Amino acid sequence: MKLPSGLAAPVEALLANAGRGLGRAFLDQDFKQARRVIDTNITGTVYLIHRIGNDMRRRNAGRILITGSIAGFTPGTFQAVYNASNAFLDSFLFALREELRGTRVTVTCLMPGATETKCFERADMMDTNVGTTKKDNPADVAKVGFDPMMRGDGDVVTGFKNKIQSAVASISPAAMLAKQHRKMAEPGTAKS
């Protein structure tokens, strides 16, 4: 079997977990930084899945885990590009999963809420409510995603609070969600 260029062995599980955030109002952001979020979160992820997924489909075996976010369910006031990139990933997952139905290639989307990583610091959001509040443990989030990937489940939202938020987002008007998100991500709103 011929492997994609540069691969020494078939990839059994692809964990597409690259992500980049960016805070502040969209029109105040350096466009190069906004483009970097899009290139990392969307273009890089889709390219990697296309490349590895083709080999998995040829072999009729493999598991793909995409890390999206519950942010994809909400218009991201002061995180517009980040939330939109996650909306893309969430939608992309369901389409890809359906396209691969009937094969032995599974696609799972992990959709955590705020997780304790350097993401908020790198996104210049340490003066926001979401940047300074307690977040989920990354090891716990990874475990919540890994087990469903191994079972071939479709989508996984981590934590009870995040499940409630995603359920509410699915029935709430987008304008209301954008207004709520402002309270979490607006610069200068961090609670002391």
Side-chain angles (χ1 to χ4, degrees):
M1 168 181 4
K2 184 173 187 229
L3 298 174
S5 177
L7 296 180
V11 175
E12 300 299 327
L14 170 61
L15 285 65
N17 187 41
R20 177 172 296 283
L22 186 60
R24 309 288 171 205
F26 172 70
L27 295 177
D28 295 336
Q29 294 170 346
D30 176 338
F31 185 75
K32 289 179 187 172
Q33 293 301 312
R35 173 75 187 264
R36 195 168 175 204
V37 170
I38 294 165
D39 288 346
T40 301
N41 297 3
I42 296 174
T43 309
T45 300
V46 169
Y47 174 76
L48 183 63
I49 292 168
H50 189 266
R51 182 140 185 211
I52 302 299
N54 266 302
D55 179 59
M56 288 178 170
R57 186 178 61 180
R58 274 191 294 279
R59 293 184 296 111
N60 197 30
R63 302 175 192 288
I64 299 171
L65 176 67
I66 301 170
T67 301
S69 172
I70 64 167
F73 299 129
T74 304
T77 308
F78 298 105
Q79 282 186 287
V81 175
Y82 175 77
N83 284 39
S85 71
N86 278 284
F88 175 92
L89 290 177
D90 295 347
S91 175
F92 176 74
L93 156 94
F94 289 107
L96 180 60
R97 183 173 175 82
E98 182 61 24
E99 289 175 8
L100 290 169
R101 187 166 43 99
T103 72
R104 293 180 53 210
V105 179
T106 65
V107 184
T108 304
C109 188
L110 173 61
M111 294 176 272
T115 304
E116 192 61 56
T117 65
K118 293 196 180 279
C119 179
F120 295 97
E121 185 179 326
R122 290 180 183 138
D124 192 23
M125 295 183 69
M126 295 311 293
D127 64 340
T128 67
N129 285 330
V130 71
T132 57
T133 59
K134 183 171 172 29
K135 296 168 198 53
D136 294 335
N137 179 300
D140 294 340
V141 170
K143 175 97 171 117
V144 168
F146 184 79
D147 293 340
M149 177 195 69
M150 294 305 290
R151 289 190 305 266
D153 296 350
D155 59 309
V156 182
V157 175
T158 63
F160 181 73
K161 180 181 154 192
N162 296 330
K163 288 177 184 178
I164 296 291
Q165 284 181 326
S166 63
V168 168
S170 70
I171 59 170
S172 298
M176 184 187 85
L177 294 171
K179 190 177 281 193
Q180 286 297 110
H181 199 277
R182 170 185 279 271
K183 294 175 186 174
M184 296 183 342
E186 186 170 16
T189 60
K191 296 175 184 168
S192 335

